[in-house]
Amino acid sequence: MTFRIAQISDTHLDGGPGYFTAGFRAIAAHVNGARPDLVVNSGDMSLDGAANADDLAAARRLHDEITAPVRFIPGNHDLGEGADAPVPPGHPIVSEERRAQYLDHFGDDTWCLDAGGWRIVGINAQILGSGLESAQAQLRFVAETIGTAGTTPVALFVHKPLFHLSADEDVVGGRFVNPRPRADLLQAFGGVRPALVASGHVHQFFARRHEEAEHVWAPSTAFVFGDEKQPRYGLKEPGYVEHVLEADGTHVSRFVAVTGVPTLDIADYMHAYAHYLQPTTGRADPR
Ligand SMILES: [Fe+2]
Ligand SMILES: [Fe+2]
């Protein structure tokens, strides 16, 4: 049996002007037409839900337009920035209180689903390395779900990519899972390695095989970061990713472009994040 997942990501939806709602709606309509078995939003559902619960509520409501079952994992804009690396001043940091607010709107931040001969696991990237109690509980959850998967192929959904090219990278920052929490996570996998690691956050489509796994980054439905703000790792275009999982453990992941959805550059929407304007640079620093 084939199991088809449509991965949307970084929708950055708000409860006010609706900066990025049109693109979301066009992509959601395309996803509905494709009739996947499951839709996963890999985080940053909201524009600024970590600071403004109205954005969480609006983002959750807009996902009711999707006809397939939808699962969510949190991103930094939903839950706050990770606590394991420096962040620009004024940005919310992940906490158990913000996590509780997120759970009220989007349900479990860690989940496991067995379907189509695969084990599909979603985790919360924002608490990794945070020292929060929920971070320890999540590592136990990972050990219990991925660590016991045996020969069942695993697809892991996590907001931030585990790394750019290699698990040995030592960069500490906000773009990828940081080295220490990455090591903890890989240890919790036990001897199991996911066949597919699907992430968001970078607002680019990128796919690369590393050892046993294919690492696939979904594009944003909302906006891209210009080359002056962010390196070009892959494709800076809006869209979504279709993952076709086969029961024999093979899979195909492909970028899906949706006609009529423009490529918006966040540099033209800095007013959406105006409350985070940095005095030194005069610009906001969303990521
Ligand atoms: Fe994002
Ligand atoms: Fe993000």
Side-chain angles (χ1 to χ4, degrees):
M1 192 189 94
T2 299
F3 193 80
R4 292 164 56 239
I5 302 174
Q7 181 190 0
I8 59 174
S9 200
D10 294 86
T11 46
H12 289 251
L13 297 164
D14 68 88
Y19 298 107
F20 306 113
T21 303
F24 168 81
R25 285 202 155 122
I27 289 171
H30 194 281
V31 166
N32 287 343
R35 300 171 61 89
D37 298 297
L38 176 70
V39 173
V40 176
N41 189 326
S42 47
D44 286 352
M45 280 72 76
S46 65
L47 184 79
D48 192 23
N52 180 0
D54 287 351
D55 285 358
L56 291 177
R60 179 65 190 84
R61 233 177 5 254
L62 280 159
H63 283 80
D64 290 343
E65 296 180 12
I66 294 173
T67 49
V70 186
R71 298 253 180 163
F72 304 93
I73 50 174
N76 45 308
H77 288 278
D78 308 313
L79 206 57
E81 299 292 335
D84 61 340
V87 299
H91 284 246
I93 307 288
V94 66
S95 65
E96 293 294 8
E97 292 72 26
R98 289 200 168 96
R99 179 170 170 266
Q101 180 175 258
Y102 169 88
L103 299 177
D104 277 351
H105 288 89
F106 289 101
D108 289 344
D109 56 347
T110 55
W111 45 263
C112 176
L113 170 73
D114 287 335
W118 283 63
R119 176 156 292 179
I120 304 161
V121 177
I123 64 169
N124 180 344
Q126 296 314 113
I127 57 175
L128 293 172
S130 66
L132 296 173
E133 202 167 303
S134 55
Q136 285 307 315
Q138 174 164 263
L139 284 176
R140 291 194 293 275
F141 173 85
V142 168
E144 285 161 14
T145 53
I146 297 180
T148 63
T151 56
T152 302
V154 171
L156 172 67
F157 286 83
V158 55
H159 182 58
K160 293 180 183 180
L162 297 188
F163 45 76
H164 175 209
L165 298 176
S166 160
D168 300 333
E169 288 163 15
D170 56 6
V171 178
V172 174
R175 187 164 292 148
F176 305 104
V177 172
N178 281 317
R180 178 161 303 182
R182 180 195 306 138
D184 292 344
L185 197 55
L186 295 178
Q187 189 175 26
F189 288 172
V192 174
R193 287 292 173 264
L196 169 63
V197 179
S199 55
H201 186 55
V202 188
H203 295 219
Q204 298 187 38
F205 173 71
F206 175 82
R208 184 173 185 272
R209 184 159 285 283
H210 178 74
E211 298 176 344
E212 303 95 329
E214 185 167 21
H215 295 256
V216 180
W217 308 359
S220 167
T221 66
F223 60 82
V224 302
F225 298 96
D227 291 350
E228 74 293 343
K229 164 79 179 160
Q230 182 199 60
R232 186 174 286 264
Y233 301 101
L235 190 62
K236 292 190 177 186
E237 286 181 25
Y240 71 98
V241 173
E242 181 189 59
H243 302 285
V244 179
L245 310 183
E246 304 290 352
D248 65 3
T250 60
H251 77 96
V252 174
S253 301
R254 69 181 183 102
F255 171 80
V256 182
V258 175
T259 307
V261 177
T263 301
L264 305 181
D265 188 324
I266 189 61
D268 297 323
Y269 287 83
M270 278 299 163
H271 46 291
Y273 287 105
H275 45 299
Y276 293 129
L277 283 175
Q278 299 300 307
T280 46
T281 60
R283 47 186 296 183
D285 194 19
R287 52 191 182 179

